[in-house]
Amino acid sequence: MEKSNSYKGNYDILIDDSGWGSPLGGVVMGVYKFDTKQFSWRIIEENHFQVPKYEKKSYLSQIALKVLEMINELNVDKNAKILVCRGYCNNHIPQLLKYNGYMYVERGVVGEPLQTTLEEKFKEYLADLGFNGYKDPKVTNKKEISRSFYATVKWAMENDKLNLCKTGWSYFTENKHLRLEVNVKKENTETTKKRKRNRIKVPIVIPSLNFK
């Protein structure tokens, strides 16, 4: 998502993202339809931003597919003029929409009424994960955004929530301490699953008594 004070342009549909810069959680995608004033949203889960999926950039196709799903849900006309946020995570959206018959697709800065609604949805999403410290980046200065970023990572570490973070980021993979934390959590999870999978029920054998 890029900062924009208000919507400008003759478009029928707005498409934007929220949470791309947050270390916690995945990304929330939203679509707004002007004529009916309808809003639809989807969550792109955090596992798409973790190894190995992050390395394969699976989030790009996943985001595009979720957007197409919302476009169909809102019964968007093939001749609708669509504006897609120019953020990197949205790069596969225009191609997929055009492949499905939506020819009037442009990239640009998306504003209201979608932006604020989408930020609120992402805030609610993080609250469901247990985190209540999210701040809307479009109304926050760079220093506050930086402080908020580190405060979020600190919260995740202190509350054993690193498994809900975008740990495929170089911030996590290149930080020795964080990488160790992430690997330990991963190993513990895999060990627990392995133990459950390999658990064998051993029958209790009561030896017979010999009265001879």
Side-chain angles (χ1 to χ4, degrees), residues 95-108:
Q95 183 180 359
L96 183 62
L97 292 182
K98 289 179 180 179
Y99 179 80
N100 282 272
Y102 299 93
M103 302 309 297
Y104 302 100
V105 183
E106 297 180 7
R107 303 293 295 273

Side-chain angles (χ1 to χ4, degrees), residues 118-145:
L118 200 54
E119 286 296 330
E120 284 299 318
K121 284 297 180 183
F122 187 71
K123 184 177 181 179
E124 291 173 9
Y125 161 57
L126 291 191
D128 288 340
L129 298 182
F131 182 68
N132 295 299
Y134 179 73
K135 296 181 180 179
D136 187 342
K138 74 176 187 295
V139 293
T140 309
N141 62 47
K142 289 183 179 181
K143 287 186 178 180
E144 290 176 327
I145 290 175

